Every structure is written in C-alpha cells, then in structure tokens.
C-alpha cells in the first residue's frame, strides 16, 4: 500500500491507474478505523480495481464545543489495518495541504436535509462535510465512493450533493457494522466508560423493539415516545428520536419504508443510530 500526504503525490500515484482506465473506489474517513470502515474498504475492493482511502480529521465539520482537538488520531494502526484489507493508496493530507494559508471563502451548502436531525444541534456540520467531500472528490476523482449507513443523514447529503453538482461518481451506502450486543461501531465508542459501554446497546435494542411495535400497528408517535422514555430512564440525554422517509422527508403515509433515527448522549459522548423499517 502506498501512503501519500500531498495532492501532487496522490495524483502521481493514481496516474497509471487513470491512464489504464482502471476504476477507482474511494472511502473517505477521519481515521481511528474500526470494522465499519474496513467493511467499506472490502465493498470497494469488490466493485473497483483500485481503492483509495483518505484519513483526514476535517476541522471545518466540528463545532466550537466539539471534539476536534481530542478526536483520536491513530494513523499508524490505521495504516496497518488498511494494508491488511488490501487498500491500494492511503491519502493522509495535513490541514495545511487541504486548506492552505489563504482564507477559505467557498463552501458547499446542501439545503433543507442538512437542517433536520443532527443538523439542528450541529450548526454548520454538514456544510463542513459537503465541502471537504467535494474537495476530496475533485482530488481523488473516483468512479465510486463508499459511505456507512450509520451516518444516514450524511449519506443522504452526499447523494444529494453528488446529484446537484453532477459529480460523475456512484455513491454506495454500506450497512451499519455492529458489535455483538448490537451497538453500532463508531470511533466515539472509545470515549465510553465501562459502565456506559454496557448501557449503550440499549439504543439499538430500542430501535428493534420499535420496529416490532410498528409491525403490530402501534401508532408511530407512541412508539417514538416510548423509545424516548426508556432511553431517558436508562441515563441517556436525548437529542432526537424521530422517524423520516429514507430521503429525510416527513412521514405521512404509514405503509411506506421509514427510518427510525436516534441521537443521544451518554455522559459527554454523543451516539447516533438508525434502523430502516421496510413496509413495502
Ligand atoms: O464520516 C466521516 O468520517 C466524515 O464525515 C467524512 C465523510 C470522512 C468527511 O470528513
């Protein structure tokens, strides 16, 4: 596996593949890799000739009170994992390489769907994500890019942006990787204390319980209220418990697919999860 830290050296590394018209698969990450990320790489390996993974902790997607400075940076361990799953090129640029010295005056802002769910409590977060992913798409020029469904809203934002800006890139969503007890894998799980880690799977349990209740025709509002009550009782501080369509529209027809979304804090750690409930 090659590791490149500049745009110029990445271009040089990818040039033979581009000339030979090989397909390039791209997995953007912020590092601290777990099985969820590695599943994205495995999927990319299946569909593309050459796989590029980026590791870049993007400062402009973190709010002033978020964990940018403390975000786990584990480049050496990540490189080893990526080499083991057959990543071809790791792109690990510095903040200077990505944003330079001059003020940044351009941002990619994706409307409405960035204002619901996480967008309400993380002002500017999705503008930061859309902007950096746009830059990375221009730099890597992939044929296909892979994103986890754990960040369902992020995936929807990227799909929308890719369509709106006519990027010639296929976007593939990869199912959530879970620990044996159901907890969705996330770099932030590492912040949990032992006790919090034992409580955290209740998020997924409440999603699967909610699905069962919906299939028994329990009213949606009742199901959402019960998730909120149970998680609050278990010690979570709820950010949102909501149901939307897969495209993040309001749910107004109840026999169509819906996605149940939860964001909740355990101590200082904010966890998110979701479950697609198929009715079709
Ligand atoms: O999901 C992430 O890790 C980040 O939001 C992404 C897509 C790599 C952009 O920084």
């Amino acid at each position: 596996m090659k590791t490149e830290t500049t745009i110029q050296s990445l271009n040089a590394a990818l040039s033979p593949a581009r000339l030979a018209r090989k397909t390039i698969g791209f997995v953007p990450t912020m590092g601290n890799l777990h099985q969820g990320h590695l599943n994205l790489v495995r999927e990319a390996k299946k569909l593309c000739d050459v796989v590029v993974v980026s590791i870049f902790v993007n400062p402009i997607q973190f709010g002033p009170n978020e964990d940018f400075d403390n975000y786990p940076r584990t480049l050496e361990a990540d490189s080893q994992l990526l080499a083991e799953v057959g990543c071809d090129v790791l792109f690990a640029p510095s903040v200077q390489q990505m944003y330079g010295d001059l003020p940044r005056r351009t941002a990619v802002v994706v409307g409405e769907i960035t204002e619901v769910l996480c967008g309400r409590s993380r002002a500017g977060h999705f503008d930061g994500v859309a902007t950096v992913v746009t830059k990375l798409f221009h730099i890597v020029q992939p044929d296909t890019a892979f994103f986890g469904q754990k960040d369902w809203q992020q995936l929807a934002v990227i799909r929308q942006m890719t369509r709106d800006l006519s990027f010639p890139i296929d976007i593939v969503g990869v199912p959530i990787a879970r620990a044996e007890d159901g907890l969705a894998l996330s770099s932030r799980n590492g912040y949990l204390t032992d006790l919090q880690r034992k409580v955290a799977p209740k998020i997924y349990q409440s999603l699967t319980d909610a699905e069962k209740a919906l299939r028994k025709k329990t009213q949606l509002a009742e199901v959402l209220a019960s998730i909120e009550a149970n998680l609050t009782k278990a010690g979570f501080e709820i950010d949102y418990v909501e149901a939307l369509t897969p495209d993040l529209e309001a749910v107004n027809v109840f026999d169509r697919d819906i996605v149940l979304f939860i964001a909740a804090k355990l101590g200082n750690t904010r966890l998110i999860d979701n479950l697609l409930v198929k009715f079709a």
Side-chain angles (χ1 to χ4, degrees), residues 28-30 37 54 56 58 61 71 125 128-129 132-133 136 147 151 154 158:
T29 81
M30 298 204 301
H37 298 109
S54 64
F56 178 62
N58 174 35
Q61 71 186 72
Y71 198 85
H125 168 70
V129 170
V132 81
V133 172
L136 289 166
F147 293 84
D151 295 298
Q154 169 170 282
I158 302 294

Side-chain angles (χ1 to χ4, degrees), residues 1-2 41 45 51-53 82-90:
M1 182 181 77
K2 290 183 177 165
V41 180
K45 291 286 292 176
V51 175
V52 180
V53 175
L82 288 174
E84 280 165 22
V85 289
C87 165
D88 298 289
V89 182
L90 166 60

Side-chain angles (χ1 to χ4, degrees), residues 16-28:
R18 288 184 184 137
L19 282 172
R21 297 194 178 278
K22 291 192 174 164
T23 54
I24 297 178
F26 177 43
V27 180

Side-chain angles (χ1 to χ4, degrees), residues 1-279:
M1 182 181 77
K2 290 183 177 165
T3 300
E4 307 300 341
T5 56
T6 67
I7 296 168
Q8 204 179 9
S9 68
L10 179 74
N11 271 324
L14 291 179
S15 151
R18 288 184 184 137
L19 282 172
R21 297 194 178 278
K22 291 192 174 164
T23 54
I24 297 178
F26 177 43
V27 180
T29 81
M30 298 204 301
N32 195 230
L33 303 180
H34 50 66
Q35 283 305 319
H37 298 109
L38 301 182
N39 284 350
L40 301 181
V41 180
R42 290 186 187 104
E43 199 58 31
K45 291 286 292 176
K46 276 191 231 154
L47 298 182
C48 303
D49 299 325
V50 174
V51 175
V52 180
V53 175
S54 64
I55 294 184
F56 178 62
V57 185
N58 174 35
I60 68 165
Q61 71 186 72
F62 288 79
N65 300 320
E66 294 184 349
D67 53 349
F68 174 69
D69 287 334
N70 298 328
Y71 198 85
R73 288 156 172 88
T74 52
L75 191 58
E76 214 169 296
D78 292 346
S79 306
Q80 202 167 329
L81 290 173
L82 288 174
E84 280 165 22
V85 289
C87 165
D88 298 289
V89 182
L90 166 60
F91 179 50
S94 62
V95 172
Q96 161 71 22
Q97 180 64 204
M98 286 297 285
Y99 292 113
D101 290 326
L102 294 173
R104 184 184 58 87
R105 302 200 198 279
T106 307
V108 178
V109 178
V110 181
E112 289 148 29
I113 57 170
T114 63
E115 285 156 21
V116 297
L117 302 174
C118 291
R120 275 200 301 265
S121 56
R122 303 190 71 190
H125 168 70
F126 288 110
D127 300 350
V129 170
T131 302
V132 81
V133 172
T134 296
K135 285 166 76 73
L136 289 166
F137 279 180
H138 285 307
I139 293 166
V140 177
Q141 299 167 41
D143 297 278
T144 311
F146 298 80
F147 293 84
Q149 287 175 348
K150 181 167 113 16
D151 295 298
W152 189 286
Q153 186 176 13
Q154 169 170 282
L155 177 59
V157 168
I158 302 294
R159 284 193 199 284
Q160 177 85 45
M161 174 191 100
T162 303
R163 252 194 330 268
D164 290 349
L165 299 183
S166 305
F167 279 109
I169 299 173
D170 286 332
I171 304 298
V172 174
V174 177
I176 299 175
R178 297 186 179 280
E180 264 178 31
D181 57 13
L183 179 65
L185 298 189
S186 162
S187 302
R188 293 199 165 98
N189 294 350
Y191 299 151
L192 297 171
T193 63
D194 288 349
L195 193 64
Q196 289 168 341
R197 176 62 189 78
K198 288 197 180 109
V199 176
K202 286 193 189 296
I203 294 188
Y204 182 59
Q205 281 159 23
S206 61
L207 286 170
T208 51
D209 289 349
E211 174 172 17
K212 282 182 209 140
L214 287 172
R215 293 205 184 283
K216 286 186 193 149
K217 305 267 182 251
T218 312
Q219 290 293 310
L220 182 59
E222 197 184 313
V223 170
L224 298 179
S226 142
I227 297 180
E228 196 157 336
N230 290 337
L231 290 181
T232 304
K233 201 164 146 206
F236 290 87
E237 187 191 321
I238 305 292
D239 182 355
Y240 57 75
V241 173
E242 279 187 53
L244 294 174
T245 69
D247 296 329
L248 307 186
E249 306 278 345
V251 175
N252 41 32
V253 182
F254 286 95
D255 56 354
R256 299 274 165 80
D257 297 351
I258 60 169
V259 185
L260 298 169
F261 294 95
I262 297 178
K265 272 171 116 179
L266 261 183
N268 291 327
T269 307
R270 189 172 179 278
L271 301 172
I272 60 169
D273 201 349
N274 65 72
L275 185 71
L276 171 65
V277 181
K278 280 186 166 278
F279 287 106

